């Protein structure tokens, strides 16, 4: 009621990916997160923004940090929370994903957070239900809240996103984090570089508008942000990496290789990190690392997303 016409209003039922979000929509999420961040620093960490709303965490893939981050965000907004994982759901008894959602929806829930190994699973669910769906990671496709918390962290640290150089290093091919961040940082006018072994860089990645290099030195030169991605050991078994030692020598961020970067470059990692593989401990724990800030900001960003999609029906002019 009485909403000013010039104030941006969230319109979307779901948050499925970064590809289809505009910079203005992302800015609305980041600005909303900024107002929620302070809640987590209070002695009593709770606001009533989602009181009376039910949120279901539907996780079909293992997850610790993302699931915990969503659950804390839900609880700090006073939402009612239900956790379902593949090991406890009827999917194991042969139920389809759509039937699982139909059953959840029949219990009048408001928001479903979905993590699934199949790319597009959250999109399928969103298209077949009236419940708001938030993608918490779908296969190697997207991980939108991770990108939003990364954008938030960089904006908070550097005061801007436009014109910065971000170098993402490692397994780009299998990384939903990389894909979401490429969309996100590019839409804000950042210069995005990707670097890794040929086997871990998708062939047409340059079509996404990024700069591609196989030389770590070139990626790190003048970078404002160095973003290391987890080396997934399962990939090594599939022959995509010759040896871990060689990977560390060519792409590991350590005291020697970091010389190519400026002294102020931020060090980021989505977690879980393989210490002394993608980042040498000294760098991972060094003064420029913002890895735990990313985790802190993740709760605020997820609070913002939950609030925007979860209360969309309660706001003036939001239902077009
Ligand atoms: C990432 C994921 O699951 O996509 N982790 C996360 O959400 N914190 C990255 C990874 O697993 O390497």
């Amino acid at each position: 009621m009485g909403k000013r016409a010039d104030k941006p209003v969230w319109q979307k039922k779901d948050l499925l990916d970064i590809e289809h979000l505009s910079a203005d929509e992302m800015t609305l999420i980041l600005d909303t997160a900024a107002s929620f961040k302070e809640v987590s620093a209070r002695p009593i960490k709770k606001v009533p923004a989602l009181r009376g709303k039910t949120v279901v965490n539907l996780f079909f893939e293992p997850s610790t940090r993302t699931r915990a981050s969503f659950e804390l965000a839900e609880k700090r907004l006073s939402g009612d929370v239900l956790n379902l994982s593949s090991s406890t759901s009827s999917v194991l008894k042969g139920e389809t994903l759509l039937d699982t959602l139909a059953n959840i929806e029949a219990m009048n829930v408001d928001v479903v957070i979905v993590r699934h190994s199949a790319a597009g699973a959250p999109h399928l669910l969103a298209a077949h239900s009236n419940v708001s769906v938030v993608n918490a990671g779908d296969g190697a496709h997207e991980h939108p809240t991770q990108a939003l918390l990364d954008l938030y962290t960089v904006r908070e640290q550097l005061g801007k996103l436009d014109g910065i150089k971000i170098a993402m290093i490692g397994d780009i091919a299998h990384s939903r984090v990389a894909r979401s961040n490429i969309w996100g940082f590019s839409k804000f006018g950042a210069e995005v570089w990707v670097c890794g072994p040929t086997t871990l860089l998708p062939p047409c990645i340059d079509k996404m508008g990024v700069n591609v290099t196989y030389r770590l030195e070139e990626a790190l030169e003048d970078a404002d942000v160095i973003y290391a991605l987890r080396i997934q050991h399962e990939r090594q078994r599939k022959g995509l990496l010759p040896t871990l030692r060689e990977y560390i020598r060519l792409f590991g961020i350590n005291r020697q290789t970091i010389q190519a970067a400026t002294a102020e470059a931020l060090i980021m990692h989505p977690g879980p990190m393989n210490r002394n593989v993608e980042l040498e401990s000294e760098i991972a724990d060094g003064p420029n690392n913002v890895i735990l800030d990313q985790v802190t900001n993740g709760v605020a960003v997820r609070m913002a997303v939950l609030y925007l999609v979860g209360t969309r029906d309660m706001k003036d002019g939001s239902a077009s």
Side-chain angles (χ1 to χ4, degrees), residues 102-119:
N103 278 273
I104 294 169
E105 192 175 2
M107 291 183 253
N108 295 314
V109 308
D110 301 286
V111 184
V112 177
I113 314 296
V114 184
R115 172 168 283 200
H116 202 284
S117 58

Side-chain angles (χ1 to χ4, degrees), residues 5 15 23 49 60 63 73 99 118 163 175 203 231 245 265 281 286 302:
L15 179 80
F60 293 98
S63 163
D99 281 335
S175 177
I231 279 301
R245 250 174 93 148
S281 268
R302 290 179 176 116

Side-chain angles (χ1 to χ4, degrees), residues 61-63 65-66 115 136-139 142-143 146 149 174-177 229-232 269-273 302:
E61 255 193 359
S63 163
R65 155 187 358 233
T66 304
R115 172 168 283 200
D138 61 326
E142 281 225 33
H143 192 349
Q146 177 70 46
L149 73 89
H174 303 94
S175 177
R176 51 195 174 202
V177 174
L229 291 162
R230 182 170 70 94
I231 279 301
Q232 307 181 0
H269 194 296
M273 163 169 65
R302 290 179 176 116

Side-chain angles (χ1 to χ4, degrees), residues 8-75:
V9 175
W10 184 258
Q11 307 276 352
K12 293 197 157 101
K13 173 173 88 69
D14 314 289
L15 179 80
L16 299 175
D17 51 43
I18 300 289
E19 182 180 359
H20 298 101
L21 282 190
S22 65
D24 283 348
E25 286 169 317
M26 287 189 275
T27 299
L28 175 58
I29 297 173
L30 302 187
D31 291 346
T32 308
S35 62
F36 278 129
K37 186 169 176 183
E38 166 271 324
V39 174
S40 294
R42 293 182 194 170
I44 296 174
K45 302 169 182 56
K46 230 178 180 49
V47 288
L50 277 193
R51 193 159 62 192
K53 298 276 180 185
T54 307
V55 185
V56 179
N57 298 314
L58 192 54
F59 277 66
F60 293 98
E61 255 193 359
S63 163
T64 318
R65 155 187 358 233
T66 304
R67 211 188 59 76
S69 181
F70 268 109
E71 190 171 341
L72 284 177
E74 291 148 12
K75 290 181 168 164

Side-chain angles (χ1 to χ4, degrees), residues 91-236:
V91 173
L92 284 183
K93 298 180 187 167
E95 188 176 72
T96 67
L97 191 55
L98 286 176
D99 281 335
T100 301
L101 185 72
N103 278 273
I104 294 169
E105 192 175 2
M107 291 183 253
N108 295 314
V109 308
D110 301 286
V111 184
V112 177
I113 314 296
V114 184
R115 172 168 283 200
H116 202 284
S117 58
H123 301 67
L124 177 82
L125 294 179
H128 287 88
S129 85
N130 296 317
V131 171
S132 289
V133 176
V134 175
N135 180 2
D138 61 326
H141 176 226
E142 281 225 33
H143 192 349
T145 57
Q146 177 70 46
L148 289 163
L149 73 89
D150 293 331
L151 290 162
Y152 185 98
T153 305
V154 173
R155 193 180 80 159
E156 180 177 68
Q157 295 288 331
L158 302 181
K160 61 171 186 171
L161 295 164
D162 184 24
I164 65 147
K165 173 176 174 181
I166 175 168
M168 308 194 77
I169 318 293
D171 185 356
I172 310 293
H174 303 94
S175 177
R176 51 195 174 202
V177 174
R179 219 166 304 279
S180 286
N181 268 323
I182 289 170
W183 286 119
F185 280 91
S186 304
K187 284 180 190 219
F188 277 108
E191 186 190 323
V192 182
W193 285 71
V194 295
C195 175
T198 41
T199 48
L200 297 181
L201 287 182
C204 298
I205 188 78
D206 54 318
K207 299 266 185 329
M208 288 182 83
V210 298
N211 303 283
V212 184
T213 179
Y214 305 103
R215 282 181 46 238
L216 184 61
E217 204 183 323
E218 189 182 14
L220 298 190
E221 195 183 355
D222 295 325
D224 299 289
V225 179
I226 300 171
Y227 197 107
L229 291 162
R230 182 170 70 94
I231 279 301
Q232 307 181 0
H233 291 291
E234 55 274 24
R235 315 285 168 219
Q236 213 191 338

